[in-house]
Amino acid sequence: MDVVTRKRGRANFATAADHAAERAIIARLREKEPDVPVLAEESATKGLRNAERLWVVDPIDGTLNFSRGIPFYCVVIAYVEEGKVRAAAVHAPRTRETFTACQDAGAFRGKTRIHVSQTGKLSQALATASLSYRVMRGADAKMPRLAAACAGMRDVGSAALGMTYVADGRFDLFAHQFLSPWDVAGPSLIAREAGAAVLSIKTGGDANWDERAVVIGNPALARAAIALINRA
């Protein structure tokens, strides 16, 4: 898969498919809602986060997986209004799964309603987290500390799928320190509507729709993870 755009950081790039998918998605959204701006990964414009109404798009979340033929990647679309995510969809083409949610209406995989797990202890939890070079280095690295406390930890390679898998109860916990708005907006609503707490690692409180660092899981487990990784 040809690399078209290289961005800051290791293995951070876009392929021709990323750009083509983004153009196609934006065109369809503008057909339906021409007055609503679109914040999309490959053409992000500063200042759009503060728009009263906003589409947030990641054309391919998990580009590295996609470029290597690994099936864990997805398309992410969220609708944000007055600083709140109102609707979201995550579609994984290779696994043929679509996750959706609307505010106060529950979360679904296809037509099946989904819920977070009820695992209550970190020692019993299977977590998914970013294990990139940025989070593993340093004496106070948070993810290795969390991994040591859990029953297991995996890096799916797609933050959006990791969050939706928590919403579906496949994983018990999600943690990430370097998210972009298009990574977290849609999947965080799906997780919330499935019963998850979405907590800011920085503040420990309820995360904003565009939060950079979050922990997601059932409320008791998410709070336990926050307490652990922020422990001095």
Side-chain angles (χ1 to χ4, degrees):
M1 188 64 60
D2 292 337
V3 173
V4 174
T5 307
R6 291 196 179 274
K7 296 174 275 188
R8 176 181 288 182
R10 299 181 196 173
N12 189 12
F13 57 85
T15 67
D18 290 85
H19 289 282
E22 181 168 299
R23 288 193 297 270
I25 292 167
I26 291 174
R28 289 294 297 274
L29 292 175
R30 286 179 174 161
E31 283 179 11
K32 301 294 184 181
E33 296 280 358
D35 297 328
V36 179
V38 181
L39 178 65
E41 179 176 12
E42 307 309 333
S43 58
T45 301
K46 291 182 179 180
L48 280 183
R49 291 192 200 189
N50 298 321
E52 182 178 352
R53 300 168 67 205
L54 181 67
W55 292 107
V56 185
V57 173
D58 193 339
I60 301 179
D61 183 62
T63 295
L64 183 57
N65 282 354
F66 170 75
S67 71
R68 300 297 182 93
I70 298 169
F72 301 108
Y73 58 87
C74 58
V75 180
V76 186
I77 302 175
Y79 175 70
V80 178
E81 187 175 84
E82 297 178 343
K84 298 287 185 181
V85 185
R86 309 298 185 179
V90 173
H91 176 64
R94 290 285 294 275
T95 61
R96 299 182 179 180
E97 293 180 311
T98 302
F99 300 86
T100 58
C102 291
Q103 187 180 31
D104 301 325
F108 296 83
R109 175 181 21 86
K111 296 181 179 179
T112 302
R113 191 157 187 165
I114 58 176
H115 303 276
V116 293
S117 80
Q118 295 306 305
T119 300
K121 296 181 179 180
L122 286 174
S123 61
Q124 299 172 343
L126 178 59
T128 177
S130 170
L131 302 178
S132 70
Y133 73 97
R134 288 194 291 179
V135 304
M136 300 300 287
R137 61 188 180 184
D140 189 40
K142 298 179 185 297
M143 292 307 112
R145 187 187 308 166
L146 181 60
C150 291
M153 181 176 280
R154 307 286 186 268
D155 187 345
V156 176
S158 162
L161 282 183
M163 286 180 257
T164 56
Y165 289 168
V166 168
D168 201 16
R170 302 178 193 184
F171 287 97
D172 303 302
L173 193 68
F174 171 88
H176 204 300
Q177 293 175 261
F178 298 102
L179 294 165
S180 296
W182 39 84
D183 298 322
V184 68
S188 66
L189 177 67
I190 294 169
R192 281 192 171 100
E193 290 295 322
V198 181
L199 303 181
S200 165
I201 291 177
K202 183 177 180 180
T203 69
D206 192 46
N208 295 325
W209 72 267
D210 57 351
E211 197 82 31
R212 185 167 171 78
V214 301
V215 165
I216 299 175
N218 71 61
L221 201 62
R223 287 193 296 267
I226 284 285
L228 174 74
I229 64 179
N230 284 337
R231 187 174 63 200

